[in-house]
Amino acid sequence: MRTLTTLGLTVLRLLAERPQHPYELRQQIREQGLDRIVKVTHGALYHTVETLAKAELTRPVETVREGKRPERTVYEITPAGLELAHDRLRELLVTLTPEYSSYCAALAFMSLLAPEDAMKRLELRCVLLASELAASQTAYDTVVKRGTPPIALVEMRHQQAHLRADLDLTRSLVEDIRDGRLSWG
């Protein structure tokens, strides 16, 4: 396996907790709010599970059937899968990867708009950011109440920190435009 994708790492992390079938994995991704950091489609999840099994990073342990539902294969992580997950995680924790934000590009080209138009757009962004931050906090509180351990929620804290920083900067830009400290030359 060339490299472990974020979805692959997600699957391995969940399987490290306990053996599961892909449908359970999908439920866990939703319940733990991991779908906010990794894009998960039905097809991508099943493809990832198959790819991990072919690479012997996971292995099927049983096939179960509940009622009239189709058979479901339960997978567990292998020692090689756990080792690769550890290695990939160590790499990700120390790698600074440039992120190409469309908002950053918009800020760089904001002078194409009239100051009043830019300010109105930034004010709207503040409303949207505040709403997203509130929704994120609600989601965080919900998973905490379910008993999710804090270590499983650090990515949500990271996302909230980015939202707060974005909101603070955007509010500051609105004030700077309104007060004339940021003007178009």
Side-chain angles (χ1 to χ4, degrees), residues 15-111:
L15 291 179
E17 293 175 1
R18 64 180 167 84
Q20 301 177 63
H21 53 73
Y23 182 77
E24 286 178 295
L25 292 169
R26 176 75 173 149
Q27 287 179 308
Q28 288 294 311
I29 289 169
R30 281 191 196 131
E31 287 174 11
Q32 294 183 25
L34 299 173
D35 54 350
R36 297 176 68 86
I37 60 166
V38 63
K39 182 174 176 153
V40 183
T41 63
H42 178 79
L45 178 62
Y46 279 83
H47 175 74
T48 297
V49 169
E50 282 181 23
T51 301
L52 293 171
K54 284 180 186 173
E56 299 181 352
L57 302 171
T58 65
R59 65 176 157 247
V61 290
E62 68 177 321
T63 302
V64 295
R65 180 189 293 262
E66 295 176 12
K68 294 184 178 186
R69 293 183 177 185
E71 288 185 342
R72 293 183 174 159
T73 303
V74 175
Y75 293 86
E76 70 180 1
I77 192 169
T78 64
L82 189 58
E83 183 178 338
L84 180 63
H86 288 167
D87 290 346
R88 181 69 174 135
L89 184 54
R90 287 181 184 110
E91 176 187 344
L92 289 172
L93 284 172
V94 299
T95 301
L96 298 178
T97 305
E99 295 180 22
Y100 301 100
S101 156
S102 56
Y103 181 51
C104 192
L107 291 175
F109 308 128
M110 185 170 61
S111 63

Side-chain angles (χ1 to χ4, degrees), residues 1-11 38 48 52 88 92:
M1 180 166 220
R2 294 185 324 267
T3 187
L4 189 58
T5 65
T6 306
L7 181 54
L9 184 59
T10 303
V11 168
V38 63
T48 297
L52 293 171
R88 181 69 174 135
L92 289 172

